[in-house]
Amino acid sequence: MAHAIIHILNNDCPHCLEGKVFKEKNIFLQIGFPKMNDYCPNCNFKFEKEPGYFFGAMYVNYGLTVAQGIATYCMAHYFFENNFDLRIIPIIAFVIVAMASFNIRFSRLLWIYMFKNYSI
């Protein structure tokens, strides 16, 4: 399990663990919508199995975004007197927008790794 997480964060191909899923080598500090390779440059593994394959990755992305929003609220509410101060909302919105590009890449990688063929 730890190896899979390391390979996900390294943007490695789920089949050969050497090629890159996204054209950018780093999934962390990128701006804009990700550009994926259609096939692995190393082993020619096809990443999108069928049209709409990454539709489920949107649900993973939504879960990540909600978890980040809740975690941001839990950390930020200690700095305010009231339990729910409206000044927390821009802080949560900033974190969600700042993490959006990473979340898209990370959720797609998670989706690919969840449905890879482990019998090989």
Side-chain angles (χ1 to χ4, degrees), residues 37 42 46 49 75 79 86 113:
N37 293 318
N42 189 45
K46 186 175 181 180
K49 304 292 182 210
M75 288 187 280
F79 297 102
L86 290 178
Y113 271 79

Side-chain angles (χ1 to χ4, degrees), residues 7 20 22 26-27 39 56 59 63 70 75-78 84 94 113 116:
H7 289 297
K20 300 297 180 189
F22 291 98
N26 184 1
I27 68 167
Y39 295 91
Y59 295 106
I70 291 171
M75 288 187 280
H77 89 278
Y78 290 112
F84 190 76
F94 174 78
Y113 271 79
K116 82 175 203 169

Side-chain angles (χ1 to χ4, degrees), residues 39-51:
Y39 295 91
C40 176
N42 189 45
C43 69
N44 211 25
F45 178 75
K46 186 175 181 180
F47 295 123
E48 188 172 4
K49 304 292 182 210
E50 59 191 20

Side-chain angles (χ1 to χ4, degrees), residues 106-117:
F106 188 66
S107 64
R108 284 190 175 199
L109 283 166
L110 278 175
W111 193 254
I112 290 172
Y113 271 79
M114 282 192 317
F115 293 106
K116 82 175 203 169
N117 189 0

Side-chain angles (χ1 to χ4, degrees), residues 19-37:
K20 300 297 180 189
V21 175
F22 291 98
K23 292 183 180 179
E24 305 92 9
K25 296 191 188 275
N26 184 1
I27 68 167
F28 294 105
L29 297 173
Q30 298 292 328
I31 296 175
F33 200 76
K35 294 171 183 66
M36 287 185 65
N37 293 318

